[in-house]
Amino acid sequence: MTASDHTVANGSVPPTGGAESARPSLARRLLSDGFTSWALATPVTLVLAFFLLAPIAMIVSVSFWGSTSFSIYPDFIWDNYDYLLGSSVTYKVFLKTLKFAFMTWAITLVIGFTVAYYLTFHIRSLTWQIALFLLCTIPFWTSNIIRMISWIPFLGRNGIANKTLMDMGITSEPLEWLLYSEFSVTLAFVHLYTLFMVVPIFNTMMRIDKSLIEAAYDAGASGVQILTNVIIPLCKPGMMIGSIFVVTLVMGDFITVRFMSGSQIANVGRLISNDIALLAYPSAAATAVVLLITVLIMVAVMLRFVDIRKEL
Amino acid sequence: MNEGKRPASFYVLTLVFALFVIFLYGPTLTIGILSFQGPEGGLTFPMRGVSTHWFHELFAQQAVGDIWGSFRRSFVLGMMVMTTTVVLAVMGGLAFRRRFPGSTVLFYVIIASLVIPSILVSLGVGLLFSQILGWEVRWTTSGFGAQLTWTLPFGLLIMFAVFNRFDPSYEEAARDQGANPWQVFRYVVLPLIAPSLIGVALFGFTLSYDEFARTLLTSGSRNTLPLEIYGMTTNVTTPVLYALGTLTTIFSFLVIGTFIVIALISQKRKAKRASDAGKGMV
């Protein structure tokens, strides 16, 4: 490729006239050893090094610092981890977090697959497919916090859900578990993150060669067999990418759980944010490191099933 | 299988899809309606009259924090993040068209940026600034960088996908005609990838504008709008919260709509200019 990169990397605009004969050969020489690619990748590398890798290294080192009730100081002690891993609360909270991740994953996977399937195989014109797909994605670009808040009039004691249930005579008094409960937390997660399933699954599904389905049909496969033996296996990469998004978002969340549970349920993110609020940074950092390791292991397992570079 | 009568499953799935759309939009519409509560009304139905009382309340500044200041900051920050994301994503996309030493490592760092819990970025950047560098955290510096760790991977992945499908023969043709590297980029590559850049820009702006966790510990003493709204949820118990929610959602819709219109226009222009096959020289 392309001599263009060289100049772009330098940020200089070469004169449009003259000197052209010399440039391509120079550029090509630089290209051959990957220099240009490196130059182009430098800004991204610097940003991620400074705002992602250095902060993670910082967290790891602070997790070994000591703290008093009003300050923290550099040290190398295991106290934070001893305390964290020695407390039964930690395990309960991690389990609860995993439970939310699993529930949200399962529900969003089913909904995401169904929606993508409908858009791909039941909508016949590309224009409609794009229009309905956009309809599904627009909420993704609006505020998560507003979308959480908007459940209150639905789920509250005097909310729409309770009113409707009571009017229909299904319950005689308001259901208390609709809001500020595991139910409302999971509901909000599904509401916020289903898009992350729909998009990658739809993306892989649209690339399935329709003649494969014709072939299965001609060979006598039933609708269900086509679904389980052709479509689902071919959609696995999309399902995996969606799963990575949903699982990592739920695992790292603290705001949805806090808001939708009315501060009554703890997850790992809230453990960290509570420590931060108390300025107990070493303790927060130790929890963060354990969370990071958990999430990275989960992602590593999921990445075994999909080659992301091939899916792009 | 795509012609003729609809199977029964079509109607079932249409219903499911419709319910899904209601599920997505219903709550937002509800607070849209409730933000027009009468002055006596509360956070839930019934409506006690219809008024724009709560919107007026929002504009009467003393009632609730620094909403307009935080909106202005969020908007500026969104533009900064958007511009940076577009430029860096294009450069990164070009870089990754070939393998270079370290490209695999960088690729996995980009993926890591996407999966690492946002609160870690927030905490880490905050600690790095305050404990090591001794810099004050500000939304224009630490907040800006922390948000880039979320918008850049999206932008880069979009650009990777775009360049995977990019036909290099256009560039070769331009070079054969004597275009220099910059001209190849400016007059051939850039127009071809422009529609995707609109997508990258949309991600860059909206993800920044709505970001909460990454800005929480990195924005310093001045709040961005999501932080301001979050603060309100704990101490404002009137529909003024809904009024604000409705306004920012309308603003988001306007932004998204603008991007979509620009994308449609540029797509059309591209289609009009794209090919003159069969039109000349016969």
Side-chain angles (χ1 to χ4, degrees):
Chain A
M1 149 195 108
T2 134
S4 63
D5 300 348
H6 169 58
T7 42
V8 181
N10 288 337
S12 66
V13 182
T16 42
E20 270 132 13
S21 54
R23 277 180 178 279
S25 66
L26 174 68
R28 213 157 280 154
R29 244 183 317 122
L30 289 171
L31 279 167
S32 60
D33 57 27
F35 173 81
T36 312
S37 284
W38 249 116
L40 283 165
T42 301
V44 168
T45 313
L46 288 178
V47 169
L48 292 180
F50 191 75
F51 288 102
L52 185 76
L53 300 180
I56 298 298
M58 186 68 202
I59 289 178
V60 174
S61 79
V62 171
S63 71
F64 293 103
W65 286 18
S67 61
T68 65
S69 50
F70 50 86
S71 72
I72 64 174
Y73 52 92
D75 203 340
F76 188 83
I77 50 173
W78 289 88
D79 295 23
N80 302 307
Y81 288 101
D82 282 344
Y83 182 76
L84 181 71
L85 301 175
S87 156
S88 65
V89 174
T90 309
Y91 298 97
K92 265 190 212 137
V93 169
F94 264 88
L95 270 183
K96 177 76 77 182
T97 311
L98 286 168
K99 185 181 163 194
F100 279 132
F102 178 79
M103 298 269 292
T104 310
W105 171 76
I107 298 170
T108 55
L109 183 61
V110 172
I111 299 177
F113 186 89
T114 313
V115 169
Y117 180 88
Y118 175 74
L119 291 179
T120 310
F121 294 109
H122 283 292
I123 304 298
R124 291 169 182 179
S125 85
L126 185 64
T127 313
W128 270 105
Q129 277 176 330
I130 293 172
L132 292 179
F133 177 73
L134 274 177
L135 188 68
C136 293
T137 36
I138 283 171
F140 169 76
W141 290 311
T142 65
S143 166
N144 278 5
I145 292 182
I146 301 294
R147 290 172 71 201
M148 277 182 241
I149 292 171
S150 59
W151 280 107
I152 294 174
F154 259 92
L155 301 177
R157 229 173 164 278
N158 303 311
I160 296 170
N162 270 325
K163 281 265 161 58
T164 314
L165 289 174
M166 278 152 63
D167 287 348
M168 287 164 72
I170 296 174
T171 56
S172 53
E173 50 190 73
L175 299 173
E176 296 287 349
W177 52 264
L178 283 180
L179 190 58
Y180 304 137
S181 61
E182 280 187 29
F183 170 80
S184 59
V185 173
T186 312
L187 184 76
F189 276 139
V190 171
H191 187 225
L192 293 177
Y193 299 144
T194 302
L195 268 312
F196 286 92
M197 276 295 188
V198 174
V199 175
I201 297 178
F202 179 66
N203 187 32
T204 42
M205 225 182 242
M206 286 291 279
R207 282 194 256 162
I208 293 179
D209 187 347
K210 297 281 193 293
S211 58
L212 291 175
I213 292 159
E214 296 277 357
Y217 188 74
D218 291 344
S222 69
V224 176
Q225 283 173 321
I226 291 175
L227 187 67
T228 54
N229 293 345
V230 182
I231 297 174
I232 291 180
L234 288 173
C235 284
K236 260 193 192 134
M239 290 156 81
M240 274 301 147
I241 293 174
S243 304
I244 291 173
F245 270 114
V246 170
V247 167
T248 56
L249 283 165
V250 176
M251 288 300 292
D253 174 89
F254 62 102
I255 182 77
T256 312
V257 172
R258 185 188 152 165
F259 190 81
M260 296 306 290
S261 78
S263 296
Q264 289 172 39
I265 299 174
N267 72 339
V268 181
R270 288 202 60 212
L271 229 49
I272 299 172
S273 74
N274 287 349
D275 276 342
I276 291 171
L278 298 169
L279 306 181
Y281 293 120
S283 165
T287 316
V289 169
V290 177
L291 173 65
L292 179 64
I293 292 169
T294 316
V295 169
L296 289 182
I297 290 172
M298 293 169 87
V299 172
V301 170
M302 288 190 274
L303 278 178
R304 294 190 75 89
F305 297 97
V306 52
D307 179 355
I308 292 190
R309 285 192 96 148
K310 238 176 65 192
E311 292 308 315
L312 290 168
Chain B
M1 65 179 277
N2 249 3
E3 280 102 46
K5 223 174 117 254
R6 299 283 197 181
S9 59
F10 169 77
Y11 298 100
V12 178
L13 285 173
T14 303
L15 183 69
V16 172
F17 183 77
L19 288 174
F20 176 67
V21 172
I22 293 172
F23 172 67
L24 278 182
Y25 288 89
T28 314
L29 282 178
T30 314
I31 67 158
I33 295 168
L34 281 170
S35 58
F36 290 98
Q37 268 284 22
E40 308 294 309
L43 285 173
T44 50
F45 286 106
M47 297 284 283
R48 296 182 201 281
V50 175
S51 75
T52 52
H53 173 81
W54 302 106
F55 290 94
H56 289 297
E57 197 83 331
L58 206 56
F59 285 86
Q61 217 148 18
Q62 79 285 2
V64 275
D66 181 18
I67 289 173
W68 302 107
S70 60
F71 170 74
R72 213 173 43 239
R73 283 188 284 279
S74 274
F75 186 80
V76 172
L77 185 57
M79 297 305 264
M80 285 164 62
V81 170
M82 177 183 89
T83 315
T84 316
T85 303
V86 171
V87 174
L88 264 56
V90 171
M91 291 173 71
L94 289 168
F96 270 88
R97 290 178 76 181
R98 54 175 52 242
R99 283 188 182 270
F100 54 92
S103 65
T104 308
V105 176
L106 184 57
F107 182 78
Y108 280 104
V109 172
I110 291 164
I111 299 297
S113 195
L114 216 49
V115 303
I116 285 176
S118 47
I119 192 167
L120 267 82
V121 175
S122 210
L123 174 63
V125 172
L127 285 174
L128 184 68
F129 269 60
S130 61
Q131 301 290 327
I132 298 288
L133 301 167
W135 297 348
E136 203 184 328
V137 285
R138 291 175 66 102
W139 59 277
T140 45
T141 54
S142 48
F144 169 65
Q147 290 195 344
L148 283 178
T149 65
W150 181 229
T151 59
L152 270 181
F154 277 100
L156 285 164
L157 290 181
I158 293 174
M159 290 323 296
F160 293 165
V162 168
F163 281 122
N164 271 351
R165 291 164 183 72
F166 195 85
D167 183 352
S169 54
Y170 293 116
E171 291 156 281
E172 270 156 38
R175 271 198 298 277
D176 289 348
Q177 308 251 350
N180 69 28
W182 171 253
Q183 287 172 324
V184 173
F185 176 75
R186 169 66 187 82
Y187 296 107
V188 179
V189 179
L190 196 58
L192 285 171
I193 61 172
S196 329
L197 294 188
I198 297 163
V200 176
L202 175 60
F203 271 92
F205 184 83
T206 58
L207 292 183
S208 160
Y209 180 74
D210 297 325
E211 179 59 34
F212 174 82
R214 276 161 229 264
T215 357
L216 181 62
L217 300 170
T218 58
S219 70
S221 51
R222 291 175 183 275
N223 278 347
T224 59
L225 191 60
L227 295 176
E228 193 73 23
I229 294 172
Y230 183 69
M232 284 175 68
T233 60
T234 49
N235 54 33
V236 176
T237 50
T238 59
V240 85
L241 193 59
Y242 295 160
L244 180 57
T246 304
L247 280 188
T248 73
T249 305
I250 289 172
F251 177 76
S252 289
F253 282 165
L254 286 178
V255 169
I256 298 162
T258 311
F259 277 106
I260 291 175
V261 168
I262 296 173
L264 286 177
I265 291 172
S266 80
Q267 203 79 289
K268 230 172 230 153
R269 273 177 53 188
K270 194 173 138 191
K272 219 192 271 171
R273 292 183 189 173
S275 172
D276 58 356
K279 285 180 193 154
M281 298 299 290
V282 186

